[in-house]
Amino acid sequence: MEEKYPKVFKKAIKGSVGGRYINSRGEYDEFLLMGDPATAEIEKVTVEVYDKEAEKYFIKNNKAAVVNGYLIEITEGYEMTLDEINAVSDGYLKDLLKQPFMRMKKRVEEFTSPVPVSR
């Protein structure tokens, strides 16, 4: 069975996790993941591994974090829940903009992700 890349590793603890990896350009690099994995933006709590060589390097150089469960692989079946990404349609956002200011402001403050706000 052929493995699919990139593989994504996510930190599983609230503390900071740092280590080494091979970036998308094939260069040896370091990473530092910070923030609460339940509420932080996905880019701030994940690192991507792009091929088999990079995965071996990643596991070897971050063995303690992987073995202790500080870094876990997000499997292929992983899907972000709607609460994590605030999935709303463009039509909903257009209707929201037509609402009175205070009602719109209250709803925008409930967004926990910049996804709908950036649109």
Side-chain angles (χ1 to χ4, degrees):
M1 183 175 153
E2 187 177 320
E3 296 185 50
K4 295 183 179 182
Y5 291 94
K7 289 188 176 182
V8 180
F9 287 84
K10 179 178 181 179
K11 76 181 197 88
I13 61 170
K14 289 187 179 183
S16 299
V17 177
R20 297 180 180 168
Y21 76 117
I22 299 176
N23 63 26
S24 60
R25 296 181 304 267
E27 301 168 343
Y28 297 96
D29 204 353
E30 296 179 348
F31 65 89
L32 180 62
L33 306 176
M34 300 179 351
D36 184 355
T39 59
E41 296 175 21
I42 196 78
E43 299 85 22
K44 294 183 180 181
V45 294
T46 58
V47 63
E48 292 182 345
V49 177
Y50 293 95
D51 59 25
K52 191 164 185 80
E53 179 187 331
E55 182 182 10
K56 285 181 184 178
Y57 181 85
F58 181 84
I59 299 295
K60 178 182 174 188
N61 286 283
N62 304 295
K63 187 171 186 169
V66 173
V67 169
N68 291 325
Y70 302 155
L71 290 170
I72 57 173
E73 182 179 351
I74 299 175
T75 61
E76 183 178 342
Y78 175 79
E79 293 181 21
M80 294 172 64
T81 63
L82 294 180
D83 290 322
E84 288 178 308
I85 60 172
N86 289 145
V88 294
S89 67
D90 287 337
Y92 177 81
L93 290 175
K94 287 178 184 177
D95 290 341
L96 183 64
L97 292 172
K98 295 176 185 175
Q99 298 294 321
F101 177 74
M102 293 307 288
R103 188 179 301 161
M104 178 188 69
K105 183 179 176 189
K106 181 181 178 191
R107 178 62 181 129
V108 169
E109 288 172 353
E110 293 174 2
F111 291 143
T112 58
S113 170
V115 173
V117 176
S118 67
R119 288 193 294 181

